[in-house]
Amino acid sequence: RSVYDDQPNAHQKFMEKLDACIRNHDREIEKMCNFHHQGFVDAITELLKVRADAEKLKVQVTDTNRRLQDAGKEVIAQTEEIIRCRVQQRNITTVVEKLQLCLPVLEMYSKLKEQMSVKRYYSALKTMEQLENQYLPRVSQYRFCQIMIENLPKLREEIKEISMSDLKDFLESIRKHSDRIGETAMKQAQQQKTFSTALQKQNNVNYGRNMHLGRNRILESKNEITLKRTFEDEDEHEEEVLTAQDLVDFSPVYRCLHIYSVLGDGEIFENYYRKQRRKQARLVLQPQSSMHETVEGYRRYFSQIVGFFVVEDHILHVTQGLVTRTYTDELWNMALSKIIAVLRTHSSYCSDPDLVLELKNLIVVFADTLQGYGFPVNRLFDLLFEIRDQYNETLLKKWSGLFRDIFEADNYSPIPVGNEEEYRIVISKFPFQDPELDKQSFPKKLPMSQSVPQIYMQVKEFIYASLKFSESLHRSSTEIDDMLRKSTNLLLTRTLSSCLQNLIKKPHIGLTELVQIIINTTHLEQACKYLEDFISNITNISQLTVHTARLYGLSTFKDARHAAEGEIYTKLNQKIDEFIQIADYDWTMSESDGRASGYLMDLINFLRSTFQVFTHLPGKVAQTACMSACQHLSMSLMQMLLDSELKQISMGAIQQFNLDVIQCELFASSEPVPGFQGDTLQLAFIDLRQLLDLFMVWDWSTYLADYGQATSKYLRVNPSTALTLLEKMKDSSKKNNIFAQFRKNDRDKQKLIETVVKQLRSLVNGMSQHT
């Protein structure tokens, strides 16, 4: 840099100095070469001498090398083979080591696939868990492991979907098989109950025998074995399907529960299962609209419910947490309320007592079955008491028809018996005892008609029918006895009483029939004590028990008898009215015919023949009927005289009327019904008799003088009655000149009539003012 930085000629000077330096160095090199030249020539000469030897050596070396190369080729080949084998060996070792890590993974995955294919999903989940936790972490660097890891969640979801599908199929299966499960469970419960009842009866038979204790035990054991064998033999003939497990495969629900539990979704599964079962419960509890028409409808309804709760009970005991006792109790209480409401509604439609009885038996079996599974059923037995009342109502309706048919078919005449056999047939049906009749020879007649033994037998049949419902209600004999007596009282006091009352009121029932009805009710009343004994015998409850109810048949038949008696009085009066209506008096006749009217004689003949029929009636009834008829006849005749439409009446008509009253008095004095004392029956016509005597004798001075005195001859003649009749005769005298003879012979007598009328009016006015 300093060369270029100097003056302009500095470069040339530098080059000149450099050339001088180079020439110096060349002279030194030449000197050195000249010094060593001889040595160089000697060395070359030596090299030329060595050249020939070197050529020989080269040939030898080349030949040796060739031979060596030929010999080393095989070694090199073997060495390369050794090297290659060792590399392969190392690679194989590495592969084996890696395969030893991968093979368990692949085997587990293959096992997983196999488990999936054979639907062992719970095991598959366990295999997945082992893969994830133990095997896959060791070989996570491999691609196939990543694919496996990605597939495992998909497989879990697939398992969940498949298990849920299986659960749905399971739920559908138990819905379809609920009725069969329930039917089987109810059949088993009924067989168990039958077995227990038979065993209890057998024990009761053996109990109390005065035999050796050891022998008793042997006999009891033999009896138990015999009974068990009997039922085992019966079971062999039954269907082999005996339990819910045999009818339904529960493995889907177990599997699904385990799968969801393993996946951590156990609560989701429990909620889903309970929700679906609640829906099924509502469907099961919904009855068919026509269920009440046949017993099969009720049986299917109960079987489905029992099947539902048998399944729930099984799930409760074989799983942990899927259903709990609290859940099943809540579900049962809900179902029980619905069942009771349904049975109340549908049983109310039942009008056939046989169907109601079969319904009761089904409810008892239903309750006993579910009680055996631990469900409380007290409310069902309470419901049975409500249904019992309805059953009694249907029985009462049925027996009402039976009673009506019996009464319709009855001829209301005494039962004829031609020989001892016929007599025994009758008394076998009805407890009849009459020593006087027993003394008579055949043929003879029993006092009651054919309806009496039939009614008595039907009452006993009613008691049997009522007893059928009381069986299996888990009630004491005292309670059953009370039920029977209450239902029998309803039959007597309501149904039979109503039928008797309706029968008595029927138009075609005449006096003869009414008389026979009174006789019939008397015998039925006497038979009530035998019905009491009958109930006591079938319930084993003594009538002396404090709480034992009594039958009200006595009052029933007494009321019916009183009604029949009243109807007799009414019909007698109606018949008398019919005869009175055909009476045809000539109220203006000048003198009587000299004999009683024809209608009245016919009436008296009718009364006489009617009262002859009353000979079988109790004395007071016949006497009351006779007195009532005479009083009604007397009153009717009195009303005929005082009829407001009758404006005038002649003395001749009075005389004719007097003849008719005389016939009535003769009838009364003839004692048509025995038992009257003195002229008691004739007193029924005393009002008419005193009134007619007053007009016939024309004894007004005595009447007016003695009026109001207890000893008056005309005490029964009312002033208003006498005034009314006198005015009718007064009007008649004016028009027909009946009293002309009085005016001709004695004009003062006409004035007397006027005076009597005034005095009678004064008495009538005085009575009205006093009132």
Side-chain angles (χ1 to χ4, degrees):
R1 182 178 180 83
S2 65
V3 175
Y4 290 101
D5 290 340
D6 281 340
Q7 299 184 10
N9 294 325
H11 180 269
Q12 185 177 0
K13 291 179 181 180
F14 173 74
M15 292 303 293
E16 290 177 355
K17 288 180 180 182
L18 182 62
D19 289 339
C21 186
I22 291 171
R23 284 191 298 271
N24 289 330
H25 281 293
D26 287 341
R27 282 191 298 271
E28 289 178 0
I29 293 169
E30 186 178 351
K31 286 179 181 179
M32 186 177 290
C33 287
N34 289 331
F35 176 78
H36 292 290
H37 178 71
Q38 185 62 41
F40 175 72
V41 170
D42 292 338
I44 291 300
T45 301
E46 289 293 329
L47 284 173
L48 290 173
K49 291 179 181 179
V50 175
R51 181 179 181 181
D53 295 334
E55 286 293 336
K56 291 180 182 180
L57 181 60
K58 179 181 179 183
V59 172
Q60 291 175 357
V61 168
T62 301
D63 183 57
T64 302
N65 180 56
R66 180 181 57 75
R67 291 197 303 270
L68 181 62
Q69 289 295 329
D70 292 339
K73 284 181 179 179
E74 185 176 352
V75 175
I76 290 171
Q78 292 293 329
T79 301
E80 289 177 351
E81 181 66 24
I82 290 173
I83 292 171
R84 187 177 63 81
C85 288
R86 286 184 177 179
V87 169
Q88 288 179 349
Q89 184 179 11
R90 185 174 64 250
N91 290 341
I92 288 172
T93 302
T94 303
V95 169
V96 169
E97 291 175 355
K98 298 303 180 181
L99 284 176
Q100 286 177 345
L101 291 176
C102 294
L103 277 176
V105 177
L106 296 172
E107 288 175 354
M108 291 297 288
Y109 195 80
S110 175
K111 180 180 178 182
L112 172 62
K113 287 294 186 179
E114 182 181 355
Q115 289 170 339
M116 292 288 291
S117 64
V118 297
K119 299 181 179 181
R120 295 174 57 194
Y121 300 116
Y122 179 71
S123 300
L125 288 174
K126 290 296 184 182
T127 303
M128 287 185 198
E129 186 177 350
Q130 291 179 348
L131 277 171
E132 288 180 328
N133 297 332
Q134 298 179 18
Y135 296 97
L136 288 177
R138 301 175 186 173
V139 291
S140 58
Q141 67 273 23
Y142 299 111
R143 185 179 178 185
F144 77 89
C145 292
Q146 297 299 324
I147 295 173
M148 288 182 183
I149 292 173
E150 292 174 0
N151 284 337
L152 290 181
K154 297 178 182 178
L155 290 174
R156 282 195 176 92
E157 289 300 320
E158 181 182 352
I159 289 174
K160 285 180 67 175
E161 293 176 0
I162 293 173
S163 61
M164 183 56 69
S165 176
D166 290 344
L167 176 66
K168 291 178 180 178
D169 294 340
F170 165 78
L171 292 174
E172 179 65 19
S173 173
I174 60 176
R175 188 186 69 82
K176 291 180 179 178
H177 291 86
S178 286
D179 53 346
R180 286 191 64 195
I181 296 172
E183 183 180 354
T184 302
M186 291 172 70
K187 188 180 296 182
Q188 287 178 333
Q190 194 169 11
Q191 289 175 350
Q192 180 64 31
K193 185 176 181 181
T194 304
F195 174 80
S196 300
T197 303
L199 186 60
Q200 183 178 3
K201 289 181 179 179
Q202 188 64 36
N203 289 337
N204 290 338
V205 170
N206 291 333
Y207 180 75
R209 289 180 180 174
N210 188 16
M211 298 176 66
H212 191 270
L213 182 60
R215 186 178 179 185
N216 264 347
R217 289 177 178 173
I218 294 173
L219 289 175
E220 288 175 1
S221 300
K222 288 182 177 180
N223 288 329
E224 289 181 3
I225 294 171
T226 303
L227 287 171
K228 288 181 180 179
R229 286 178 177 173
T230 299
F231 284 103
E232 286 174 359
D233 292 341
E234 291 179 359
D235 290 341
E236 288 179 358
H237 296 288
E238 297 292 335
E239 296 181 5
E240 292 298 327
V241 181
L242 295 177
T243 62
Q245 299 94 309
D246 297 324
L247 287 168
V248 177
D249 180 15
F250 285 91
S251 59
V253 71
Y254 306 149
R255 185 165 54 247
C256 198
L257 174 61
H258 292 158
I259 287 171
Y260 272 74
S261 299
V262 170
L263 296 176
D265 295 332
E267 185 175 354
I268 296 175
F269 172 74
E270 290 171 10
N271 293 334
Y272 176 81
Y273 175 84
R274 295 181 184 183
K275 181 180 179 181
Q276 295 301 316
R277 289 296 280 166
R278 280 194 178 95
K279 289 181 179 179
Q280 289 189 346
R282 293 188 183 94
L283 291 175
V284 167
L285 294 172
Q286 189 65 33
Q288 295 182 350
S289 58
S290 60
M291 183 180 72
H292 61 277
E293 295 177 359
T294 61
V295 70
E296 289 302 321
Y298 286 108
R299 181 175 286 109
R300 179 174 176 79
Y301 179 69
F302 288 133
S303 297
Q304 288 178 341
I305 295 173
V306 170
F308 178 89
F309 283 99
V310 166
V311 169
E312 288 304 287
D313 182 77
H314 179 76
I315 295 294
L316 172 66
H317 287 90
V318 298
T319 62
Q320 294 182 350
L322 180 55
V323 295
T324 62
R325 175 57 68 182
T326 303
Y327 161 78
T328 54
D329 289 344
E330 178 186 352
L331 196 61
W332 169 245
N333 289 330
M334 180 274 292
L336 188 58
S337 299
K338 179 69 175 176
I339 292 167
I340 290 174
V342 167
L343 291 178
R344 277 200 184 107
T345 302
H346 283 264
S347 63
S348 63
Y349 301 145
C350 294
S351 57
D352 181 8
D354 294 333
L355 181 58
V356 178
L357 183 62
E358 290 182 351
L359 171 60
K360 166 258 174 182
N361 293 332
L362 281 177
I363 293 176
V364 170
V365 175
F366 173 74
D368 289 343
T369 303
L370 289 175
Q371 190 175 33
Y373 285 92
F375 295 100
V377 295
N378 291 335
R379 292 173 62 189
L380 284 174
F381 284 102
D382 294 338
L383 173 66
L384 282 174
F385 280 89
E386 298 179 23
I387 297 179
R388 181 201 65 187
D389 296 336
Q390 182 185 343
Y391 174 71
N392 285 337
E393 289 298 323
T394 58
L395 283 182
L396 292 175
K397 289 180 181 178
K398 179 179 179 180
W399 258 257
S400 177
L402 293 174
F403 289 153
R404 286 196 300 269
D405 294 341
I406 290 173
F407 290 140
E408 288 293 333
D410 196 6
N411 57 7
Y412 297 99
S413 59
I415 301 175
V417 287
N419 50 51
E420 182 71 22
E421 183 180 356
E422 293 180 3
Y423 179 73
R424 292 187 179 278
I425 291 174
V426 174
I427 62 174
S428 67
K429 298 178 180 178
F430 182 76
F432 174 75
Q433 294 178 354
D434 188 349
E436 295 298 327
L437 187 64
D438 291 341
K439 295 177 182 179
Q440 298 178 13
S441 60
F442 293 101
K444 52 188 174 183
K445 290 185 178 181
L446 303 181
M448 65 277 188
S449 67
Q450 192 64 48
S451 63
V452 171
Q454 292 176 352
I455 291 293
Y456 182 81
M457 291 299 296
Q458 286 302 326
V459 173
K460 291 176 67 175
E461 289 297 325
F462 177 88
I463 294 172
Y464 276 127
S466 183
L467 177 64
K468 288 180 181 178
F469 195 93
S470 301
E471 294 173 346
S472 305
L473 291 185
H474 306 298
R475 298 293 171 176
S476 65
S477 299
T478 303
E479 291 175 303
I480 293 176
D481 183 87
D482 187 59
M483 293 179 197
L484 291 181
R485 293 179 185 274
K486 286 181 178 178
S487 58
T488 307
N489 278 330
L490 281 176
L491 178 72
L492 297 176
T493 59
R494 197 172 77 183
T495 304
L496 182 54
S497 176
S498 176
C499 291
L500 284 170
Q501 296 292 341
N502 293 334
L503 172 67
I504 291 168
K505 298 294 183 182
K506 286 187 176 181
H508 70 275
I509 297 296
L511 291 170
T512 306
E513 287 81 3
L514 288 171
V515 170
Q516 187 62 55
I517 289 172
I518 292 176
I519 296 171
N520 290 349
T521 54
T522 302
H523 287 283
L524 287 172
E525 179 182 345
Q526 295 170 355
C528 283
K529 62 179 181 180
Y530 297 101
L531 291 176
E532 295 262 9
D533 296 338
F534 176 72
I535 294 176
S536 297
N537 289 335
I538 62 177
T539 59
N540 293 322
I541 298 297
S542 173
Q543 298 183 36
L544 301 178
T545 305
V546 176
H547 301 289
T548 302
R550 294 292 179 262
L551 295 184
Y552 303 142
L554 298 178
S555 61
T556 297
F557 297 122
K558 284 181 179 177
D559 293 342
R561 190 159 57 251
H562 292 328
E565 292 169 3
E567 194 66 18
I568 286 177
Y569 308 151
T570 301
K571 287 187 178 294
L572 270 175
N573 294 343
Q574 289 175 351
K575 199 66 177 178
I576 291 172
D577 291 341
E578 291 176 4
F579 281 100
I580 295 295
Q581 287 176 1
I582 63 174
D584 187 18
Y585 285 102
D586 181 5
W587 299 107
T588 60
M589 63 171 52
S590 57
E591 59 182 13
S592 67
D593 294 339
R595 63 180 183 274
S597 302
Y599 85 92
L600 188 69
M601 298 306 298
D602 293 340
L603 172 57
I604 290 174
N605 291 332
F606 164 75
L607 292 176
R608 200 180 301 279
S609 61
T610 299
F611 291 140
Q612 287 178 354
V613 179
F614 287 7
T615 53
H616 296 293
L617 286 176
K620 291 184 178 180
V621 177
Q623 292 170 13
T624 304
C626 186
M627 177 60 75
S628 173
C630 290
Q631 289 176 345
H632 184 72
L633 176 57
S634 174
M635 184 175 60
S636 299
L637 293 174
M638 181 68 77
Q639 289 175 351
M640 190 184 299
L641 283 177
L642 303 179
D643 189 2
S644 59
E645 295 183 0
L646 179 61
K647 302 299 183 182
Q648 58 184 2
I649 185 170
S650 65
M651 182 57 71
I654 292 292
Q655 294 170 351
Q656 181 63 42
F657 201 80
N658 182 59
L659 293 175
D660 292 344
V661 173
I662 291 173
Q663 291 298 320
C664 294
E665 292 172 329
L666 290 174
F667 169 73
S669 63
S670 66
E671 198 176 9
V673 173
F676 286 108
Q677 295 181 356
D679 55 354
T680 303
L681 192 58
Q682 291 175 272
L683 293 177
F685 302 96
I686 189 65
D687 292 357
L688 274 175
R689 171 47 51 210
Q690 291 186 6
L691 178 63
L692 291 175
D693 286 349
L694 176 60
F695 278 85
M696 294 290 292
V697 179
W698 205 254
D699 194 8
W700 292 106
S701 58
T702 304
Y703 174 76
L704 294 172
D706 296 342
Y707 178 76
Q709 298 180 11
T711 58
S712 174
K713 181 180 178 182
Y714 305 103
L715 181 64
R716 307 285 297 183
V717 179
N718 190 288
S720 61
T721 302
L723 177 60
T724 301
L725 186 57
L726 189 59
E727 286 180 340
K728 292 177 184 293
M729 295 185 68
K730 179 181 176 183
D731 292 340
S732 177
S733 66
K734 290 180 180 179
K735 294 181 180 180
N736 300 321
N737 213 19
I738 294 177
F739 293 101
Q741 56 179 332
F742 298 121
R743 290 196 296 271
K744 292 177 182 179
N745 297 329
D746 192 0
R747 300 182 66 89
D748 293 335
K749 198 163 188 178
Q750 180 65 27
K751 293 180 180 181
L752 177 61
I753 294 175
E754 296 292 340
T755 303
V756 170
V757 170
K758 289 179 181 181
Q759 291 179 347
L760 288 174
R761 285 176 179 170
S762 176
L763 290 175
V764 171
N765 293 333
M767 291 175 60
S768 61
Q769 290 177 1
H770 179 71
T771 304

